[in-house]
Amino acid sequence: MNGEEEEEEESHEVLLSVFAQHGQLGLCFYDSRDFTLHYMPDTSDNHELQLLARVVQEVSPHVIITSAKQERCMVQFMQGLGANPDYRPKVVTYPYVDFGLEVSKQRLLSAHFPFLPPAVSERERISYLSSCISFDSP
């Protein structure tokens, strides 16, 4: 690898936001390499969080963002990640209320997206974003 490629790899980050509740798993991840946000609609997962384990294995996030209020299965999953000396992502917790449906909708609607014109109306913004992401996934 040349120096430029090494620098690009070092600055590349994947951030995974995940929330598990009542057997449902909601997540999205941001990849800084290509500036993409990947979204997975709420999906059933078992108490061992095998689906989440698969996602973590596939995307190798550098940072995992989750709620400070967790179900036992999520706490155990995060502890398991910390026990692996070869892979220890940084875990960042936010208050439980930050993972609410309305708070999340407002964040998306107020975010700056380079692919949307600055003069787009709120109604057009809602219409476009709701065609990309389900606003019904709690």
Side-chain angles (χ1 to χ4, degrees):
M1 262 197 213
N2 66 30
E4 189 176 303
E5 288 174 348
E6 287 177 9
E7 186 177 307
E8 186 178 306
E9 282 299 314
E10 288 175 15
S11 64
H12 167 248
E13 279 197 323
V14 173
L15 291 87
L16 171 68
S17 179
V18 62
F19 187 72
Q21 186 175 39
H22 308 299
Q24 294 288 307
L25 178 69
L27 62 82
C28 66
F29 67 94
Y30 172 76
D31 189 335
S32 69
R33 180 176 307 165
D34 57 6
F35 308 106
T36 55
L37 181 67
H38 303 267
Y39 159 78
M40 183 182 84
D42 292 354
T43 306
S44 295
D45 202 355
N46 61 16
H47 288 297
E48 289 83 38
L49 297 174
Q50 290 176 328
L51 178 59
L52 177 57
R54 176 69 186 237
V55 169
V56 168
Q57 179 184 8
E58 291 290 322
V59 303
S60 300
H62 299 85
V63 178
I64 298 176
I65 302 164
T66 192
S67 172
K69 181 180 175 184
Q70 294 290 338
E71 290 187 351
R72 170 173 262 156
C73 63
M74 187 64 133
V75 171
Q76 291 171 335
F77 182 85
M78 292 299 169
Q79 288 172 343
L81 285 177
N84 182 350
D86 297 327
Y87 175 69
R88 288 191 180 144
K90 180 179 178 182
V91 176
V92 178
T93 58
Y94 283 92
Y96 175 76
V97 297
D98 285 348
F99 288 83
L101 184 58
E102 288 305 315
V103 170
S104 300
K105 280 166 101 171
Q106 289 308 311
R107 283 196 178 127
L108 276 172
L109 294 174
S110 65
H112 168 71
F113 296 106
F115 51 83
L116 286 176
V120 69
S121 72
E122 183 176 349
R123 185 179 183 155
E124 291 169 325
R125 176 181 283 271
I126 290 169
S127 178
Y128 178 79
L129 291 174
S130 64
S131 73
C132 301
I133 298 175
S134 170
F135 285 151
D136 297 327
S137 294

